[in-house]
Amino acid sequence: PIGLPLTLQIVFLLISLAIEGFSDRRLVIKDVPGIMEQFFSYHVESKNLNPVIVRRCFKIYIEQFDPEKIYLLQTEVDPYLLMSDGEAMAVADRMKVGDFSDFIALNDLLISSIYRSHTFDDEIMHKILLEIRPRVPSLESQYAQNDEELFLRQESRAFKFYSFHAKKMDLISQEKKMKVFSLMQKKINRLESPYLLMNEKGEPFSKEQKEHLYALRILKSFAKSLDAHTAFFSEEEALEMRMTLEKQFEGLGVVLSEGVDGIVIAEVIEGSPAHKSGKVQANDILVEIDGISLNDMSFEEVLRLLKEKNGHTLGVERDSYHNRDSEKKKFFRVFLAKAPIVVEGDRVQYSYERYDGGIIATIIMNAFYENDEGANSEQDIKRTIAKLRTFGPIRGLILDLRENSGGFLSQAVKVASLFISSGVVVISKYSKGEPHYLRSLDPKTYYDGPLILLTSKLSASAAEIVAQALQDYGAALIVGDKTTFGKGSIQFQTVTNDRAEHYYKITVGRYYTVSGKSTQIDGVIADIVVPTIFAPFNIGERYLEYPLSADRLPQAYNDPLADVDGATKRWFQKNYLPFQQKKITNWHKMLSELKKRSQVRIAANREFQKLLRIQEKMQAKLTDKETYLEYIKEFSSNDMQQKEAVNILKDMIDLHSQTVTIAPPLLRMFLYPMLIQASTL
């Protein structure tokens, strides 16, 4: 499978823990050198520890702890970030023999910075309760120069947290202010406690737990230092990623969050036991489990309790989150048993509108997924197209990949194959350098009419494979942001392996489409630019740390069959080569006219022009991100990009019908003399 480049946007059994978890597969320090060697053997580029990798490891280790730069001073991090080649090589030599004392010393520094931050708590709480607005801290892209700057940054973080909840709840009383401050302290404690080597109750970890955490953090920083998409996962993170790839898990179907009033049911997953009960809903407060009050329980304890058995009786309060009159709170209990849950919301969705005696259809694909129960992207699209055909002939089709961040490579190949006949879809090249060809072997196409792929800067990985492949063959036009995300690398992962000893994904190769192009860095270039709401943001591979470089391979429209031989090659020569997809030129020939028509419509669309103007202000830094996000909420129900894609599709249908109508008489005019001559011969 191809790794997901963006932050995972998913729901788990309850909610993902924000701390590293412990599993039965506890790590020990002596495991680390062997796992590193395994990574080097797989990785497409990096093959050994060197000063560059060592410095990256320390940088990432520090940033995992202090991403906001609110704990550590510049003078404290400089010895790690500005390490000379000689110093870094000495660290590498120690790491190779299992000596990670440099990381243990760094962790001691992190612990001391946490205790230093605690000396600020009383003064920060006092200012918050009095609602004294803090001074603006210094440039936060750099580490603080002194303790005073650290205090200002801690104070600023606390005030932002307080302001958000005060606005949300219309807080007035000191008691409620204290509740917000208490919630903030709980969340901070959840992040700090693992670094202090203790649980949420302040109880010290065992020696085995400490060693597991040290090893996990070292491996996380090491893996991320190799490239932008290689990663080592805790068990909780692996479970989340697995659910994203497979679209299924087992659980109760409630997503929990910790709010000012307690443990809140933030979401009820459609089709889950909680949803089917009809009794639980979002914003309910969870107050007990199996008769046990949650008053004195930490969030982690609640999650662990819910994982212990296959069913639980939940005690729930309703309306307490918004209702200030405690007498109107409704309390009830509901028993929920764990069950397999298939996440339907992120699978294929469709819509259509009637046009020219048929329909123009839109299929939304949020990921390329497959699981052991037979659910996968290819079959879902086939079923959806079959369903759409019951509403009338499909005159044109839009495949919406705007928020599709990838998934399984095999599914990308199968989905692309629905729209072309036999031929190369993807060429993969691994660390040894030999190319492998992934092909469509079915000479039939499932749909071969006017086709648009709607993309954005968030379209990545497997989505880019499909977009680039269909653009290469001319089977589709790409409409959307100027370019897609730009992830052209392949990851091997263990998160879907039930017998995996450790969970990780590692970049093992690059991929290219039939033209020999790689989407790495540059992404898929749109044929017709229709900016999405993501256009002003710096989103893409080029903005990530340590991305792979881009390159090219020779094109493979005429498949060389370089990776097959013997009887297999003879089968391909007979059953595959004669049916290879030829490059389609119809849509490219009309591209100039299609662009002109689209530009005229966009120029005349006041709403679209308003969006473009604020995007220009955002890019010129005349408008801040929050203002922009508030603005685009107005257009959440008015998908202008999708509407323009439909209009472009109508133009394609119109121009194509004109070509078909005009062609026969013209052909007769040119061919008639030749036919007479041929008959006399």
Side-chain angles (χ1 to χ4, degrees):
I2 297 180
L4 307 178
L6 304 176
T7 305
L8 296 175
Q9 303 292 324
I10 60 175
V11 288
F12 177 46
L13 167 65
L14 304 164
I15 194 169
S16 168
L17 293 180
I19 63 172
E20 296 110 330
F22 302 118
S23 70
D24 293 332
R25 304 178 181 91
R26 282 190 185 161
L27 292 161
V28 294
I29 291 295
K30 69 178 182 180
D31 293 336
V32 177
I35 295 172
M36 286 181 169
E37 282 303 313
Q38 188 178 14
F39 270 52
F40 284 134
S41 69
Y42 288 153
H43 197 265
V44 65
E45 282 189 347
S46 298
K47 295 301 178 185
N48 54 66
L49 273 175
N50 55 54
V52 172
I53 297 295
V54 169
R55 281 191 289 267
R56 287 180 183 179
C57 281
F58 283 120
K59 180 176 182 291
I60 293 163
Y61 197 101
I62 290 168
E63 289 175 348
Q64 286 176 168
F65 164 71
D66 191 14
E68 298 177 273
K69 297 182 173 62
I70 60 176
Y71 285 96
L72 294 165
L73 298 172
Q74 190 71 54
T75 54
E76 293 171 333
V77 300
D78 278 349
Y80 296 97
L81 303 183
L82 304 179
M83 193 176 287
S84 70
D85 283 356
E87 291 170 329
M89 204 62 236
V91 173
D93 290 339
R94 289 191 286 272
M95 291 171 68
K96 290 173 185 177
V97 296
D99 180 355
F100 294 95
S101 54
D102 301 278
F103 290 90
I104 306 301
L106 175 55
N107 208 76
D108 289 340
L109 170 63
L110 307 187
I111 290 172
S112 66
S113 74
I114 291 172
Y115 285 125
R116 175 175 57 203
S117 73
H118 289 177
T119 64
F120 305 148
D121 289 349
D122 289 343
E123 186 175 353
I124 289 173
M125 181 178 71
H126 176 71
K127 287 189 172 184
I128 284 179
L129 293 178
L130 294 177
E131 298 192 30
I132 299 173
R133 185 172 292 276
R135 286 190 290 138
V136 178
S138 61
L139 184 65
E140 295 182 29
S141 61
Q142 300 174 352
Y143 288 92
Q145 299 299 313
N146 50 52
D147 286 4
E148 182 183 0
E149 284 188 22
L150 281 179
F151 173 83
L152 288 176
R153 294 182 185 196
Q154 294 263 346
E155 182 186 28
S156 177
R157 176 184 67 168
F159 195 82
K160 286 176 183 176
F161 186 92
Y162 165 77
S163 298
F164 172 79
H165 286 277
K167 181 180 179 181
K168 186 177 179 181
M169 299 186 66
D170 191 24
L171 297 176
I172 299 173
S173 69
Q174 289 292 96
E175 179 185 356
K176 289 183 178 179
K177 291 178 183 179
M178 286 298 296
K179 287 177 74 174
V180 172
F181 193 80
S182 175
L183 175 63
M184 183 185 70
Q185 288 299 106
K186 286 180 182 178
K187 291 182 178 290
I188 292 172
N189 181 61
R190 186 174 304 123
L191 297 172
E192 292 179 346
S193 291
Y195 283 94
L196 297 174
L197 303 175
M198 61 179 66
N199 63 23
E200 63 274 7
K201 291 185 174 181
E203 300 166 342
F205 288 151
S206 68
K207 181 182 177 181
E208 292 78 14
Q209 289 173 323
K210 291 177 184 178
E211 189 170 8
H212 172 85
L213 274 180
Y214 282 135
L216 180 60
R217 290 181 192 138
I218 291 167
L219 286 168
K220 278 179 167 293
S221 61
F222 163 73
K224 194 174 180 182
S225 74
L226 299 183
D227 74 273
H229 301 292
T230 294
F232 195 92
F233 300 117
S234 68
E235 188 169 275
E236 285 80 13
E237 292 166 336
L239 287 169
E240 288 187 3
M241 186 176 176
R242 180 169 184 161
M243 199 204 79
T244 300
L245 291 169
E246 296 184 345
K247 300 300 178 191
Q248 66 175 6
F249 66 102
E250 184 173 87
L252 304 178
V254 290
V255 182
L256 302 183
S257 66
E258 191 172 25
V260 173
D261 290 310
I263 308 297
V264 182
I265 296 177
E267 182 180 349
V268 178
I269 300 171
E270 187 176 353
S272 69
H275 180 259
K276 290 176 181 177
S277 75
K279 297 180 180 179
V280 183
Q281 63 187 38
N283 294 326
D284 285 348
I285 307 296
L286 186 61
V287 296
E288 68 174 40
I289 299 172
D290 299 328
I292 302 171
S293 172
L294 306 185
N295 283 340
D296 298 321
M297 273 193 203
S298 68
F299 191 52
E300 291 76 18
E301 288 178 302
V302 172
L303 296 182
R304 283 195 287 270
L305 184 60
L306 281 167
K307 292 178 184 180
E308 285 177 358
K309 299 191 301 184
N310 289 325
H312 295 279
T313 299
L314 306 184
V316 177
E317 279 185 358
R318 182 159 294 161
D319 294 331
S320 59
Y321 193 75
H322 298 291
N323 197 325
R324 295 176 176 78
D325 187 349
S326 60
E327 293 182 359
K328 292 185 178 179
K329 293 177 184 177
K330 176 184 177 183
F331 174 81
F332 60 93
R333 292 186 176 93
V334 56
F335 176 79
L336 299 176
K338 291 180 184 177
I341 300 170
V342 176
V343 182
E344 300 289 351
D346 282 341
R347 290 174 65 178
V348 168
Q349 301 152 21
Y350 71 87
S351 61
Y352 68 92
E353 65 175 73
R354 301 208 171 273
Y355 181 75
D356 191 28
I359 62 170
I360 287 178
T362 299
I363 297 177
I364 300 174
M365 277 194 68
N366 294 312
F368 291 86
Y369 50 86
E370 64 182 19
N371 60 44
D372 294 337
E373 304 301 317
N376 61 62
S377 304
E378 177 201 23
Q379 292 302 319
D380 281 352
I381 289 184
K382 280 186 174 181
R383 280 191 288 268
T384 302
I385 291 177
K387 176 70 174 177
L388 286 165
R389 282 178 171 142
T390 65
F391 303 120
I394 301 176
R395 301 300 186 199
L397 178 63
I398 296 170
L399 193 58
D400 188 345
L401 304 176
R402 283 177 292 177
E403 297 187 39
N404 190 314
S405 58
F408 284 99
L409 174 60
S410 59
Q411 284 299 309
V413 174
K414 290 177 180 178
V415 168
S417 299
L418 298 176
F419 305 102
I420 61 171
S421 62
S422 300
V424 172
V425 176
V426 177
I427 309 167
S428 59
K429 188 173 72 170
Y430 298 91
S431 59
K432 293 182 180 179
E434 69 283 3
H436 297 272
Y437 297 81
L438 286 76
R439 304 168 172 92
S440 168
L441 299 179
D442 188 348
K444 295 178 292 185
T445 54
Y446 206 71
Y447 172 81
D448 62 358
L451 177 63
I452 281 177
L453 267 59
L454 195 53
T455 61
S456 76
K457 288 184 174 183
L458 292 185
S459 306
S461 199
E464 292 176 289
I465 286 177
V466 174
Q468 186 69 70
L470 296 183
Q471 185 185 56
D472 285 349
Y473 279 113
L477 292 181
I478 310 301
V479 174
D481 289 331
K482 291 181 180 178
T483 184
T484 55
F485 189 87
K487 180 182 178 295
S489 58
I490 303 170
Q491 281 70 46
F492 166 77
Q493 56 83 17
T494 63
V495 298
T496 56
N497 183 354
D498 291 327
R499 294 178 291 181
E501 187 176 3
H502 307 295
Y503 299 116
Y504 55 82
K505 65 184 175 88
I506 180 168
T507 301
V508 295
R510 291 178 169 88
Y511 69 76
Y512 313 79
T513 50
V514 65
S515 64
K517 292 179 183 177
S518 168
T519 63
Q520 183 66 14
I521 303 296
D522 291 332
V524 183
I525 310 301
D527 293 304
I528 302 176
V529 176
V530 180
T532 72
I533 59 175
F534 309 113
F537 297 110
N538 292 334
I539 298 170
E541 187 84 1
R542 68 179 68 250
Y543 301 107
L544 300 181
E545 282 194 306
Y546 322 130
L548 299 181
S549 58
D551 62 351
R552 287 186 66 107
L553 287 180
Q555 65 181 31
Y557 290 105
N558 295 315
D559 192 341
L561 300 180
D563 56 341
V564 294
D565 52 25
T568 304
K569 190 167 189 175
R570 288 192 293 275
W571 183 93
F572 271 89
Q573 289 170 335
K574 179 181 179 181
N575 301 289
Y576 164 78
L577 290 181
F579 306 104
Q580 283 187 99
Q581 174 72 53
K582 303 300 181 185
K583 194 163 184 177
I584 301 166
T585 59
N586 295 354
W587 313 123
H588 185 75
K589 287 178 179 178
M590 61 179 70
L591 191 54
S592 177
E593 178 63 21
L594 292 171
K595 285 181 179 179
K596 287 179 185 176
R597 294 187 182 191
S598 178
Q599 289 167 358
V600 168
R601 278 191 299 268
I602 290 174
N605 187 322
R606 292 183 180 179
E607 197 172 27
F608 215 127
Q609 288 302 308
K610 187 178 178 182
L611 175 65
L612 294 178
R613 283 194 297 272
I614 195 169
Q615 286 186 348
E616 289 173 1
K617 289 182 179 179
M618 175 104 176
Q619 289 174 315
K621 298 183 179 179
L622 300 175
T623 299
D624 59 31
K625 179 180 176 181
E626 287 69 27
T627 303
Y628 177 71
L629 293 176
E630 281 297 317
Y631 171 81
I632 62 175
K633 284 180 182 177
E634 299 175 25
F635 305 101
S636 59
S637 60
N638 185 16
D639 191 341
M640 291 183 289
Q641 286 77 25
Q642 195 271 342
K643 289 179 179 178
E644 178 55 23
V646 169
N647 286 329
I648 294 170
L649 203 52
K650 290 177 180 178
D651 289 340
M652 292 169 70
I653 297 166
D654 175 49
L655 292 172
H656 181 63
S657 66
Q658 291 178 28
T659 304
V660 172
T661 303
I662 294 170
L666 288 174
L667 283 173
R668 285 196 296 272
M669 182 177 67
F670 286 111
L671 291 178
Y672 186 66
M674 290 186 287
L675 290 172
I676 295 175
Q677 184 179 11
S679 64
T680 59
L681 294 173

